[in-house]
Amino acid sequence: MPIIVGKQGPVGDPEKFVGWLDSLAVDITKISRGKGPSRAELEQAPLLASAHFAMRPLSCLVNAGGKDVLGPVMNGSHVWVIAPDEGWVRTLSGYYRLAPSRVGRH
């Protein structure tokens, strides 16, 4: 998410973006120490039944044709952590669960 600065200052809500970055940094630190998301965090995470991985400057989630909570088409934020054997990914905005039939598929 680029932060756009106009003549009147930042456009949008850069503090929200900073919050996402802070949360991502905390989670990556925990993951690097061997502590992934809790069961409760994953239960609250959206389930992506038809997601697959695609590439742009960083990997991202693309969801086409599914009936997920987020709608039929989604081009989500960059993926920062992938745990295919555990069925989850961590994007800038949070954790997502991956349906077992889609984990590890391209």
Side-chain angles (χ1 to χ4, degrees):
M1 173 181 151
I3 295 173
I4 301 168
V5 179
K7 292 182 181 182
Q8 303 298 321
V11 175
D13 189 359
E15 290 297 320
K16 183 176 183 179
F17 183 64
V18 170
W20 286 344
L21 289 172
D22 288 343
S23 175
L24 176 63
V26 166
D27 286 343
I28 288 177
T29 299
K30 288 179 185 177
I31 291 164
S32 72
R33 294 179 179 156
K35 183 165 174 40
S38 69
R39 182 176 297 255
E41 286 175 303
L42 289 177
E43 286 174 359
Q44 293 176 10
L47 174 65
L48 302 178
S50 58
H52 64 275
F53 293 101
M55 294 300 291
R56 53 183 182 194
L58 292 173
S59 59
C60 64
L61 289 174
V62 176
N63 183 37
K67 296 186 182 204
D68 297 315
V69 164
L70 301 177
V73 177
M74 178 194 77
N75 186 355
S77 60
H78 298 298
V79 174
W80 293 91
V81 181
I82 304 168
D85 293 340
E86 296 179 31
W88 58 265
V89 297
R90 177 56 161 92
T91 70
L92 178 61
S93 58
Y95 288 106
Y96 289 89
R97 295 176 293 140
L98 300 173
S101 63
R102 300 301 298 180
V103 175
R105 292 176 128 181
H106 302 288

